[in-house]
Amino acid sequence: MSQMTCKSLTIITLAGVIIQMIGLSLFVWGFFPVKPALTGVSGPESYRAPAFDSDENYGNISLPPHQLRSLYQDLSGIPPSFDRLILLVIDGLPAEFVLGKDGNPPRKAFMEAMPYTQSLLANGMAIGYHAKAAPPTVTMPRLKAMVSGAIGGFLDVAFNFNTQAMADDNLLGQFSSIGWKMVMHGDDTWLKLFPGLFTRHDGVSSFFVKDTIQVDQNVSRHLVDELSRDDWNLLILHYLGLDHVGHIGGRSSLLMAPKLAEMDEVVKMIHTSILTRENDQGWTLLVVVSDHGMTENGNHGGSSFEEADSLALFVGLRGHVSDYKSATQNTAQQVDIAPTLALLLGVPIPKNNVGVLIAETFDQLKDDHQLRALELNSWQLFRLLDAQISCLSCANISLNDFSDGQPSVTTECNDSLEKMFCCLYMNAAVLHSTWKSKKVSQSSSWEDYNSTVIAYHKFLKTASEWLSSRATDKPVDLLAFGVTAMLLSCLVLLSLTLHMGREINLIEKLHHYHSNNDMQMCFLDEIFVLGVILILVISMASSSMVEEEHYIWHFMSSTLFLILLRKTVQLLPAQNSLSKGTKNFKFQMCSVFVLLISGRILRGCHQGGVNWTHLPDISKWLENSGGVHVKTVQLVSGVSVVILGFCFLSLLSSKKNVILVVGFNFLVSGLLVLVHIVKYQENAFARSSYGATISAQMIYAVLGSTTVGTAVLSPWFMPIQISKVGSSRDIYSSISVPSDVKDKSLLMALKDSLYVIGWAYIFSWCLLQLLLQQPINAMPILLLLVQILTSLLHFSYSGLHHKEWVEISTLYFLGMAGHFALGNSNSLATIDVAGAFIGISSHSTLLSGVLMLIITYASPLLVLFALVVYMSVKGCLVTQNVNSGHLLQTMLGFPCLVPLTLNSILLTAYTIVLLLMRNHLFVWSVFSPK
């Protein structure tokens, strides 16, 4: 059989990886494009009916702001209801904190924390809405939705960390065109979206989530001064503290009620100022909104009710709300805020708006003004439909197309998509025209008015739902090219893995490293691993299995452990013939039981997924038991990690000096982490202190220098001559190999270096996770370490009874099961943002992104580091006939190829699923986040 050189293997592997990256980039570029938008801004043409038979082209009207404002007032036919607007944004505030849920009032503690706001609702002076936000529920795309009425692309979740200026038509641009003066204090996302638009501003970073106090004080310190001024028309106040409280402590944080009380005082101060200065400054509308909600853990980004339940509270409307129920049990879409504010404040509705005006906010207007508002909204949505439906034309629609030759609220419009929209639009338009004719002749009735309102709402709702849910046009050719490239890459990596596997098997057969009994029993674990891959690929097509993927990994890993246990028992007769057979058998049996027990505890640490997170688990029990118990678990876990690290380093008994030096450095790191836990655990719910930041930075420096130093220097300090390989305490002694193999000093030096470097990676990674992860994840980190250590020892003592690719796949499964055991899921809401700012004194997108990646992928990356130790304890057997190049391929190359191939198979399969599911109902809420 022809052997591949190291150079060829490296080049082909890199080529496969590069092709995969290119294919994935093309696929992502085609699957997640920025949603298409109409260019330009709405102007005077917004107040004219759409032209059915020709393209509208009114030209760009350039008028001074005061003239344009007068023109809009004349054309709109609706007198502006308000002269000024105060937009109070409370980041992350779930609407149910203020309005309750399912007809029930908010929690007692929350109601008591916001007495003034609750009194406004109870007295009919405010009306609130559960404003459903579209995913992804992060700040930047939600702000854009509120000011433009448009639903952004899914990749806005990435742009949220690097906000660019908003180019689409929006309310702030419309306000600026009519001469409004605008002021903003709070989240600097506004400054990035609208640079140069504010006459005064004081921005704060939204990503430094440890700060729950100063971030709001920076806004409130301007409040008294701004409320006394009359040189602005729009005042934006964006408070971030409540969102930060949620990220750190969740909905039930001890700081949540005090933060709500602080926000209630802000509402009281603003509303009191409006009432006292109304005659001097004109009518002012206060709108209290939130960009998104939060899960029970305080995170957001997904599409669950808790995350999408944002608030829209209108204070100062001159209409009368009859009772508390009418003021709190209302629903709307977050995009409905944009057309509502545009029509209330006398500017055109933004061009790409898909929202529908909130009808109750116009109750103070006369009937003809309310119908005019509905008409303007319907004209704007019809223009958007016309731009997105190529053959939409209502020029040939006449009254004969309606039942009995007359429009009616009950008219059925069930034809093609184009005719349906034309039918609904014309039905409302003709009913409106009929009502106006009857009003002139003083023969109109309430039924006529009500029928017209219902017809308008039917068209607006249908158009809005279609525009909101319409899948972005995806270039299928580009997607297919990306998938083809990924398939090619997958085949390349799979071919390399199979080729290397055959070479390893051939060497083992030639040298009789497998007995006949082994050959008879070697298939069950291999078949099961292949079955797991097949099950994972099939499950990707199910939205429910994507949401609850953790069940697959926990079940499959536990079942694989049982198969290993069965195989160990079956191999007992063969091992009894060896001198160390009984000892090895007992150890292997114990190791499997440790794997099963630790795996079951990990499974109970977090109720992962999406649908069953409310069920009890170990993490909830620890949180409810109090901070003392959590800290105790943290300290015990930290000490255990340090002890385990030293124990396994000491197995390399022939390198005592090296072990002492490396061990001492990591002991210092471990002590620093433990001291940090003891001193700063109580400060987890407060803003990051200077001492905690310096402590974390010291840990980063010591861990980084120790790990890099070990990786660079250990190969140079490993002696070439092996004084005593067969020590009883040496981990290599468990491998049953010919004596001539152990005499190869260069091989043993390489193994020793890999062993020390691998443990340096594992030990430093676990200490880093103890620092960054949530305190309740300290025990899962320890259990993951125990599982990896036990697996490595089990594979070491099992010799060659397991295929190498099966063992590496087992470690891969452990990493994925551990990923979900740490509380992660396929929802963006489980990303831990709070830990990404530990040790950072000022916001840095790059550093925070790196820390966020370290926290999120803690378990899979830990397994990759463990493969370095695996290469050491399970390095391929060599004989006199095997050259060094082939040795490096089998010892180092194969353990790297297997996880690369597994990742490639699963990633390629999922891109194919996404291609097939591109028009699925849950493509953005379930499939895309994964």
Side-chain angles (χ1 to χ4, degrees):
M1 182 177 62
S2 61
Q3 294 184 356
M4 185 181 299
T5 64
C6 278
K7 183 178 179 180
S8 300
L9 177 65
T10 303
I11 292 175
I12 296 175
T13 302
L14 287 176
V17 174
I18 292 172
I19 292 172
Q20 181 172 331
M21 294 172 64
I22 293 173
L24 182 60
S25 300
L26 291 174
F27 185 87
V28 170
W29 182 265
F31 195 85
F32 300 112
V34 178
K35 285 205 170 186
L38 295 178
T39 57
V41 297
S42 296
E45 76 281 357
S46 302
Y47 301 107
R48 301 185 181 97
F52 297 142
D53 53 354
S54 63
D55 294 335
E56 295 181 273
N57 185 11
Y58 295 99
N60 295 324
I61 298 178
S62 179
L63 294 175
H66 66 281
Q67 293 184 18
L68 188 61
R69 184 173 187 176
S70 299
L71 177 62
Y72 286 162
Q73 291 180 9
D74 295 338
L75 293 175
S76 71
I78 307 173
S81 302
F82 298 94
D83 304 298
R84 307 205 309 172
L85 170 66
I86 299 177
L87 186 64
L88 174 60
V89 184
I90 304 177
D91 205 291
L93 174 64
E96 66 175 285
F97 282 16
V98 180
L99 307 177
K101 181 181 177 182
D102 299 330
N104 299 316
R107 299 182 195 176
K108 182 180 179 182
F110 294 166
M111 289 193 71
E112 293 176 349
M114 305 190 76
Y116 192 82
T117 304
Q118 292 298 328
S119 69
L120 292 176
L121 291 167
N123 297 330
M125 301 177 69
I127 182 169
Y129 292 85
H130 292 266
K132 183 180 179 182
T137 46
V138 292
T139 297
M140 187 271 286
R142 302 282 53 84
L143 295 183
K144 291 170 70 174
M146 283 189 281
V147 299
S148 70
I151 298 177
F154 187 83
L155 282 189
D156 276 341
V157 69
F159 301 149
N160 186 63
F161 294 95
N162 187 23
T163 304
Q164 303 296 322
M166 187 174 184
D168 297 343
D169 191 11
N170 60 83
L171 289 177
L172 273 69
Q174 292 289 349
F175 292 151
S176 178
S177 68
I178 63 172
W180 272 32
K181 303 300 182 183
M182 291 171 279
V183 177
M184 195 288 301
H185 299 294
D187 187 353
D188 61 2
T189 303
W190 291 96
L191 302 179
K192 298 173 184 177
L193 284 173
F194 308 103
L197 211 58
F198 300 103
T199 56
R200 288 190 302 277
H201 57 80
D202 184 7
V204 294
S205 174
S206 60
F207 295 107
F208 196 61
V209 298
K210 287 293 184 181
D211 180 9
T212 64
I213 300 174
Q214 193 64 43
V215 72
D216 284 346
Q217 290 180 350
N218 284 341
V219 181
S220 295
R221 64 178 178 172
H222 300 285
L223 199 53
V224 174
D225 177 58
E226 293 294 353
L227 292 176
S228 65
R229 290 173 175 260
D230 57 5
D231 61 347
W232 54 260
N233 302 96
L234 170 64
L235 174 62
I236 298 175
L237 305 168
H238 192 141
Y239 285 87
L240 293 162
L242 188 137
D243 180 66
H244 293 184
V245 169
H247 278 300
I248 297 173
R251 287 188 170 211
S252 302
S253 169
L254 296 176
L255 291 181
M256 188 60 74
K259 182 57 68 174
L260 288 173
E262 182 182 344
M263 295 299 99
D264 189 62
E265 284 297 317
V266 173
V267 173
K268 181 179 180 180
M269 184 183 302
I270 295 173
H271 187 244
T272 304
S273 174
I274 292 174
L275 294 178
T276 57
R277 299 179 62 87
E278 203 163 70
N279 294 330
D280 300 333
Q281 299 175 336
W283 292 99
T284 302
L285 174 64
L286 169 62
V287 181
V288 184
V289 297
S290 60
D291 49 354
H292 51 74
M294 64 174 67
T295 63
E296 195 62 37
N297 295 329
N299 295 321
H300 53 86
S303 59
S304 67
F305 172 82
E306 289 77 13
E307 297 163 87
D309 183 34
S310 65
L311 175 69
L313 182 70
F314 295 84
V315 182
L317 295 173
R318 295 188 288 278
H320 179 69
V321 183
S322 57
D323 54 28
Y324 182 80
K325 182 178 180 180
S326 301
T328 57
Q329 296 185 24
N330 306 292
T331 59
Q333 300 294 320
Q334 193 176 63
V335 290
D336 297 343
I337 296 173
T340 301
L341 292 180
L343 293 168
L344 286 173
L345 297 164
V347 293
I349 299 173
K351 258 191 177 180
N352 294 289
N353 164 70
V354 298
V356 178
L357 60 83
I358 301 173
E360 293 81 3
T361 60
F362 294 86
D363 285 347
Q364 76 274 13
L365 298 181
K366 297 178 181 178
D367 290 349
D368 56 340
H369 293 158
Q370 293 189 42
L371 289 179
R372 176 61 171 168
L374 291 168
E375 183 179 49
L376 293 174
N377 198 179
S378 67
W379 287 354
Q380 180 268 320
L381 285 183
F382 188 87
R383 285 188 172 92
L384 195 58
L385 287 171
D386 189 33
Q388 300 199 23
I389 302 177
S390 58
C391 51
L392 181 65
S393 175
C394 302
N396 299 322
I397 300 293
S398 67
L399 290 179
N400 294 327
D401 296 298
F402 299 98
S403 58
D404 299 326
Q406 292 294 327
S408 168
V409 72
T410 60
T411 297
E412 293 295 331
C413 300
N414 297 322
D415 212 327
S416 64
L417 184 69
E418 298 81 6
K419 290 185 178 180
M420 179 191 69
F421 283 128
C422 284
C423 175
L424 291 172
Y425 173 79
M426 291 297 296
N427 187 37
V430 175
L431 279 170
H432 190 185
S433 178
T434 303
W435 179 86
K436 286 192 287 187
S437 300
K438 289 183 177 182
K439 188 171 186 287
V440 172
S441 61
Q442 298 183 348
S443 61
S444 62
S445 64
W446 168 253
E447 289 76 13
D448 296 328
Y449 171 80
N450 193 49
S451 297
T452 307
V453 171
I454 293 175
Y456 268 126
H457 277 292
K458 189 173 183 180
F459 167 73
L460 291 170
K461 181 180 179 182
T462 306
S464 177
E465 288 178 352
W466 185 83
L467 289 166
S468 298
S469 61
R470 178 174 178 267
T472 303
D473 291 334
K474 303 179 182 68
V476 178
D477 293 342
L478 185 61
L479 297 179
F481 187 80
V483 170
T484 302
M486 295 188 68
L487 276 172
L488 176 62
S489 168
C490 183
L491 291 175
V492 169
L493 294 175
L494 184 59
S495 300
L496 285 176
T497 304
L498 293 175
H499 178 77
M500 294 296 301
R502 284 196 299 267
E503 287 194 5
I504 293 174
N505 289 338
L506 181 61
I507 293 175
E508 292 173 354
K509 289 179 181 179
L510 288 175
H511 297 87
H512 308 291
Y513 292 158
H514 282 301
S515 66
N516 291 332
N517 193 34
D518 293 346
M519 298 302 295
Q520 295 174 1
M521 296 182 295
C522 69
F523 296 109
L524 182 58
D525 52 352
E526 298 174 38
I527 293 173
F528 181 78
V529 171
L530 294 175
V532 170
I533 297 173
L534 180 61
I535 290 172
L536 286 167
V537 170
I538 295 174
S539 69
M540 290 175 180
S542 167
S543 60
S544 297
M545 293 308 298
V546 170
E547 288 181 328
E548 310 298 335
E549 185 182 346
H550 60 288
Y551 287 118
I552 299 177
W553 289 110
H554 287 302
F555 176 78
M556 295 303 175
S557 58
S558 299
T559 306
L560 185 55
F561 296 154
L562 290 175
I563 293 175
L564 295 179
L565 179 64
R566 175 181 178 272
K567 190 168 185 177
T568 301
V569 174
Q570 287 179 321
L571 290 173
L572 177 60
Q575 291 188 355
N576 282 336
S577 61
L578 302 174
S579 58
K580 296 184 180 180
T582 303
K583 178 182 177 182
N584 287 356
F585 169 75
K586 292 180 179 178
F587 183 84
Q588 291 177 62
M589 290 289 291
C590 291
S591 64
V592 175
F593 281 115
V594 170
L595 287 171
L596 286 169
I597 294 171
S598 58
R600 184 61 190 90
I601 297 174
L602 280 171
R603 166 67 185 84
C605 285
H606 290 277
Q607 287 290 349
V610 175
N611 298 313
W612 313 109
T613 54
H614 62 281
L615 296 178
D617 54 39
I618 296 174
S619 64
K620 295 187 184 70
W621 175 77
L622 276 175
E623 287 179 332
N624 295 332
S625 64
V628 175
H629 294 85
V630 174
K631 178 184 282 190
T632 301
V633 171
Q634 261 193 299
L635 291 174
V636 171
S637 300
V639 172
S640 301
V641 167
V642 174
I643 293 174
L644 284 173
F646 275 102
C647 289
F648 278 82
L649 273 174
S650 65
L651 291 178
L652 194 64
S653 56
S654 59
K655 307 293 182 298
K656 291 182 179 179
N657 293 333
V658 175
I659 298 306
L660 287 175
V661 174
V662 174
F664 175 78
N665 288 325
F666 281 110
L667 175 62
V668 173
S669 302
L671 291 176
L672 286 175
V673 171
L674 293 175
V675 169
H676 184 91
I677 292 173
V678 172
K679 289 186 66 176
Y680 302 109
Q681 176 63 30
E682 288 81 5
N683 293 337
F685 295 108
R687 63 189 181 95
S688 182
S689 66
Y690 177 77
T693 301
I694 295 299
S695 173
Q697 291 174 351
M698 287 179 59
I699 294 172
Y700 295 152
V702 174
L703 278 177
S705 59
T706 303
T707 305
V708 173
T710 302
V712 172
L713 299 177
S714 61
W716 300 95
F717 287 93
M718 289 296 175
I720 298 298
Q721 298 298 326
I722 308 299
S723 59
K724 185 178 181 181
V725 175
S727 172
S728 60
R729 295 180 61 202
D730 200 302
I731 192 170
Y732 305 136
S733 65
S734 62
I735 304 178
S736 301
V737 296
S739 58
D740 61 330
V741 175
K742 291 188 176 182
D743 290 337
K744 289 185 173 292
S745 58
L746 286 176
L747 170 64
M748 298 310 297
L750 176 60
K751 284 177 174 250
D752 289 345
S753 297
L754 289 174
Y755 187 81
V756 174
I757 293 171
W759 278 117
Y761 289 159
I762 293 174
F763 193 36
S764 61
W765 190 255
C766 289
L767 291 176
L768 185 61
Q769 295 302 326
L770 288 174
L771 173 68
L772 296 177
Q773 292 279 347
Q774 294 288 339
I776 53 175
N777 277 342
M779 183 177 66
I781 291 295
L782 172 62
L783 292 174
L784 282 173
L785 178 62
V786 169
Q787 282 201 318
I788 287 177
L789 301 183
T790 307
S791 300
L792 291 172
L793 285 175
H794 177 86
F795 296 146
S796 173
Y797 277 87
S798 65
L800 296 169
H801 294 307
H802 302 298
K803 292 291 181 64
E804 191 171 345
W805 69 270
V806 173
E807 295 176 344
I808 298 172
S809 298
T810 303
L811 290 172
Y812 182 90
F813 294 169
L814 276 179
M816 292 306 301
H819 173 71
F820 293 102
L822 288 172
N824 296 298
S825 72
N826 288 327
S827 170
L828 299 175
T830 52
I831 295 177
D832 182 13
V833 179
F837 298 91
I838 294 177
I840 299 179
S841 55
S842 60
H843 173 64
S844 168
T845 301
L846 176 62
L847 294 178
S848 300
V850 170
L851 291 179
M852 200 178 301
L853 178 118
I854 290 173
I855 296 169
T856 304
Y857 297 103
S859 181
L861 289 175
L862 179 61
V863 166
L864 293 182
F865 294 142
L867 286 178
V868 181
V869 179
Y870 178 85
M871 295 174 188
S872 172
V873 300
K874 293 287 289 188
C876 182
L877 300 177
V878 293
T879 64
Q880 302 295 336
N881 298 323
V882 178
N883 59 47
S884 58
H886 186 67
L887 167 64
L888 290 177
Q889 291 180 41
T890 54
M891 183 178 178
L892 305 181
F894 191 67
C896 296
L897 267 177
V898 174
L900 270 178
T901 304
L902 288 173
N903 271 325
S904 182
I905 292 172
L906 297 179
L907 186 58
T908 303
Y910 197 67
T911 55
I912 295 174
V913 169
L914 277 176
L915 179 62
L916 298 175
M917 296 286 184
R918 63 188 183 276
N919 296 320
H920 193 279
L921 179 64
F922 300 136
V923 66
W924 303 121
S925 59
V926 177
F927 292 104
S928 297
K930 173 177 168 59

